[in-house]
């Protein structure tokens, strides 16, 4: 299980905070104005890197095999399909009035500033910078109003909750890969899945701390007043509905492909 602990849940949360031929123009405009389009585009690379690094650090597979598995994972995700699903869910889950409110927010200078920060911080290449800055950021903001605002942000953005689910999904992807290589000599995927799910409560505390670091890093250029304005948007009727629908939609888009990784790997490495 050591390999399953290597995924960095801290750095997944932004990915949780798309157009089809029949997409609503209004929902499409909201997605284009928000940072979600750019963040979702990084999903295949993020999931692939998480699985690849976890396998390499486990020491149980050769780097070449780990890279191959990472590629399989990456190819399991379709950005276009994720975007289309988000559009569909926004059409069904939000009223036109709510969508217009969200669009109005994302067209403000402050929202544009926040979107740039979220996209920049969500890039896999920045993950090591976030980890390196963790201790300094926590010391700088210890006892500050920004620290006290975190619980409101976390609740409104559903950051920790969604990141726990995403981390479990990535770990299940690793478990699928491990089960293929273990064969009859190691635990089955079902056994690994049960163990991962049993650790969800423990994972909650770890993720909350790491999400806090991500929050400090991502929004460090915002003033306290600007951060409060953002949280108020997230807590609003339209902002809350938008966050709920988008996080649920993206969560399904992560979990469904991950569940098929094991069978894909079996066909790849053990062709009949």
């Amino acid at each position: 299980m050591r390999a399953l602990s290597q995924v960095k849940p801290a750095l997944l949360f932004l990915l949780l905070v798309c157009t089809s031929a029949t997409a609503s123009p209004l929902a499409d405009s909201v997605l284009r104005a928000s940072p979600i389009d750019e963040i979702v585009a990084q999903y295949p690379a993020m999931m692939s890197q998480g699985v690849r690094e976890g396998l390499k650090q486990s020491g149980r597979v050769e780097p070449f095999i780990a890279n191959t598995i990472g590629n399989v994972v990456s190819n399991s995700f379709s950005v276009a399909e994720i975007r289309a699903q988000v559009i569909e869910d926004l059409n069904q889950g939000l009223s036109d009035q709510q969508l217009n409110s969200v669009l109005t927010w994302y067209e403000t200078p402050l929202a544009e500033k926040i979107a740039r920060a979220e996209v920049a911080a969500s890039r896999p290449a920045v993950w090591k910078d976030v980890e390196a800055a963790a201790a300094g950021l926590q010391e700088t903001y210890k006892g500050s109003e920004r620290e006290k605002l975190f619980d409101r942000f976390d609740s409104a953005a559903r950051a920790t909750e969604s990141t726990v689910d995403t981390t479990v999904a990535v770990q299940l992807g690793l478990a699928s890969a491990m089960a293929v290589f273990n064969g009859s000599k190691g635990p089955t995927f079902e056994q690994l899945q049960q163990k991962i799910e049993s650790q969800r409560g423990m994972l909650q505390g770890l993720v909350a701390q790491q999400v806090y670091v991500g929050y400090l890093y991502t929004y460090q250029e915002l003033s306290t007043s600007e951060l409060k304005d953002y949280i108020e948007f997230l807590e609003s009727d339209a902002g809350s509905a938008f966050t709920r629908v988008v996080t649920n939609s993206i969560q399904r888009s992560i979990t469904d492909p991950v569940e098929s990784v094991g069978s894909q790997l079996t066909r790849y490495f053990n062709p009949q």
Side-chain angles (χ1 to χ4, degrees):
M1 293 300 294
R2 183 173 178 272
L4 306 183
S5 69
Q6 301 303 322
V7 178
K8 306 300 190 299
L11 312 165
L12 300 177
F13 89 97
L14 285 170
L15 300 173
L16 301 162
V17 233
C18 322
T19 57
S20 64
T22 59
S24 157
L26 180 54
D28 177 68
S29 296
V30 169
L31 260 293
R32 291 183 183 277
S34 79
I36 294 170
D37 262 354
E38 292 187 67
I39 292 175
V40 164
Q42 300 179 63
Y43 265 50
M46 179 275 291
M47 298 297 286
S48 175
Q49 182 171 325
V51 170
R52 184 184 292 112
E53 290 185 357
L55 289 171
K56 286 181 179 178
Q57 293 177 26
S58 75
R60 299 181 66 177
V61 299
E62 295 296 323
F64 171 77
I65 298 298
N67 288 333
T68 300
I69 293 173
N71 291 332
V72 170
V73 170
S74 177
N75 292 332
S76 299
F77 293 87
S78 166
V79 172
E81 290 178 5
I82 295 174
R83 296 179 74 252
Q85 185 63 60
V86 173
I87 287 287
E88 180 181 345
D89 290 345
L90 285 174
N91 285 333
Q92 296 179 0
L94 273 72
S95 67
D96 284 353
Q97 182 178 358
Q98 289 173 317
L99 286 171
N100 274 312
S101 294
V102 174
L103 181 59
T104 298
W105 157 258
Y106 276 118
E107 290 177 338
T108 65
L110 174 57
E112 291 174 358
K113 178 180 179 180
I114 291 170
R116 289 193 299 270
E118 291 180 341
V119 170
S122 70
R123 294 192 176 102
V126 177
W127 292 1
K128 290 183 180 179
D129 294 338
V130 177
E131 291 185 313
L137 287 169
Q138 291 180 85
E139 182 62 28
T140 297
Y141 292 107
K142 186 175 182 179
S144 69
E145 187 171 8
R146 187 170 300 249
E147 180 185 55
K148 295 172 184 176
L149 285 169
F150 174 68
D151 285 343
R152 280 182 60 193
F153 167 82
D154 192 31
S155 177
R158 305 179 76 208
T160 296
E161 173 190 348
S162 297
T163 304
V164 168
D165 289 339
T166 302
T167 302
V168 168
V170 176
Q171 291 181 334
L172 288 174
L174 279 171
S176 295
M178 297 292 283
V180 169
F181 287 96
N182 286 336
S184 60
K185 299 179 181 179
T188 64
F189 171 74
E190 289 72 21
Q191 291 171 326
L192 290 171
Q193 182 181 34
Q194 183 177 14
K195 185 167 186 177
I196 290 168
E197 290 292 348
S198 72
Q199 295 174 342
R200 185 180 288 266
M202 179 180 67
L203 185 62
Q204 186 87 14
L206 171 65
V207 168
Q209 181 60 35
Q210 295 189 334
V211 167
Y212 174 59
V213 171
Y215 154 88
L216 293 179
Y217 182 92
T218 303
Y219 306 113
Q220 59 187 313
E221 299 301 324
L222 298 184
S223 67
T224 302
S225 176
E226 289 174 328
L227 184 57
K228 286 181 178 178
D229 286 345
Y230 183 33
I231 293 172
E232 287 174 3
F233 162 71
L234 294 173
E235 292 174 335
S236 70
D237 172 68
S240 176
F242 179 73
T243 300
R244 172 180 50 78
V245 169
V246 168
T247 54
N248 287 343
S249 184
I250 292 178
Q251 186 60 48
R252 291 199 308 276
S253 297
I254 293 175
T255 304
D256 292 347
V258 163
E259 290 177 347
S260 71
V261 167
S263 59
Q264 292 182 58
L265 290 174
T266 299
R267 290 194 299 271
Y268 188 89
F269 289 105
N270 300 294
Q272 298 299 320

